[in-house]
């Protein structure tokens, strides 16, 4: 008996959801109240606009998470507490890499909304964890719950594909997340 393409697609979506749920459960919540340390080749402060522009080898670290990119805009509220401006949002572009314990995500763009404690990554997104790789157009990471959702939405140039030696591979094409998962070898 042969499964219809629609039924097979639903099975693939179900498997993808299970794998993503498993990935999310394994991830611990992030301390988004921790201070943010940064480094860059150049910084431009735009106090009247309540923002700073970081460029060149931008590196940001908060607790166990790092975010690297070519350029980043740091938006702050204008409030200063303890001598520090209160950061509300980070917008990163150019080779964005977010690393958390046991998880690495890559994309063209990322937005870290500190108020919502959510990172949204866009364009050629790749999420790698425990030997599995999922590719798509958009990834949303909730830092409080550890839940990650990836879909086929994309920006220009957002199509991507990838593989791992011993894990699974999911490839986004035409606005969908599709792929192949490896099966453990059995004797």
């Amino acid at each position: 008996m042969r499964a219809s393409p629609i039924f097979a697609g639903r099975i693939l979506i179900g498997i993808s959801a299970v794998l993503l749920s498993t990935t999310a459960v394994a991830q611990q919540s992030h301390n988004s109240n921790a201070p943010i340390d940064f480094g860059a080749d150049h910084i431009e402060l735009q106090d009247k606009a309540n923002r700073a522009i970081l460029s060149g080898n931008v590196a940001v670290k908060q607790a166990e998470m790092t975010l690297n990119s070519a350029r980043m805009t740091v938006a702050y509220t204008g409030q200063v507490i303890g001598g520090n401006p209160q950061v509300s949002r980070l917008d990163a572009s150019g080779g964005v890499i977010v690393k958390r314990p046991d998880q690495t995500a890559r994309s063209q763009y990322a937005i870290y909304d500190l108020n919502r404690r959510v990172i949204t990554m866009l364009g050629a997104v790749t999420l790698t964890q425990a030997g599995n790789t999922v590719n798509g157009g958009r990834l949303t990471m909730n830092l409080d719950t550890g839940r990650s959702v990836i879909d086929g939405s994309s920006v220009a140039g957002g199509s991507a594909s990838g593989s791992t030696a011993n894990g699974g591979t999911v490839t986004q094409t035409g606005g969908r997340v599709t792929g192949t998962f490896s099966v453990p070898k059995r004797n």
Side-chain angles (χ1 to χ4, degrees):
M1 181 175 178
R2 194 166 207 197
S4 73
I6 293 172
F7 182 71
R10 288 183 182 156
I11 291 173
L12 182 58
I13 290 168
I15 292 170
S16 297
V18 169
L19 287 173
L20 286 175
S21 296
T22 302
T23 299
V25 171
Q27 196 58 241
Q28 60 191 5
S29 69
H30 171 72
N31 180 6
S32 55
N33 292 318
I36 298 172
D37 297 318
F38 72 91
D41 293 341
H42 181 79
I43 184 169
E44 176 186 334
L45 295 174
Q46 300 175 350
D47 282 336
K48 289 186 180 184
N50 289 334
R51 69 178 169 219
I53 310 294
L54 307 172
S55 59
N57 300 307
V58 178
V60 170
K61 181 170 177 44
Q62 184 182 41
E64 299 285 323
M65 181 178 72
T66 61
L67 192 156
N68 298 86
S69 67
R71 179 180 167 88
M72 182 179 296
T73 301
V74 179
Y76 46 95
T77 63
Q79 286 184 319
V80 177
I81 298 176
N84 297 313
Q86 299 303 293
V87 175
S88 59
R89 181 175 159 146
L90 305 175
D91 290 33
S93 63
V96 179
I97 302 170
V98 175
K99 288 188 178 184
R100 298 181 61 205
D102 302 324
Q103 186 180 64
T104 301
R106 299 173 188 274
S107 68
Q108 295 172 351
Y109 309 98
I111 300 163
Y112 179 9
D113 183 334
L114 280 88
N115 296 324
R116 291 180 46 226
R117 295 174 169 89
V118 171
I119 296 177
T120 303
M121 301 182 76
L122 303 164
V125 175
T126 301
L127 175 63
T128 305
Q129 181 175 353
N132 291 304
T133 300
V134 180
N135 299 298
R138 179 177 59 189
L139 167 66
T140 304
M141 300 166 62
N142 183 313
L143 299 176
D144 284 341
T145 65
R147 183 172 186 241
S148 296
V149 177
I150 193 164
D151 64 40
S153 301
S154 66
V155 296
S159 181
S161 64
S163 64
T164 60
N166 57 3
T169 301
V170 177
T171 304
Q172 179 264 337
T173 58
R176 292 172 32 107
V177 178
T178 61
T180 304
F181 300 103
S182 62
V183 177
K185 293 182 181 181
R186 294 183 179 98
N187 294 332

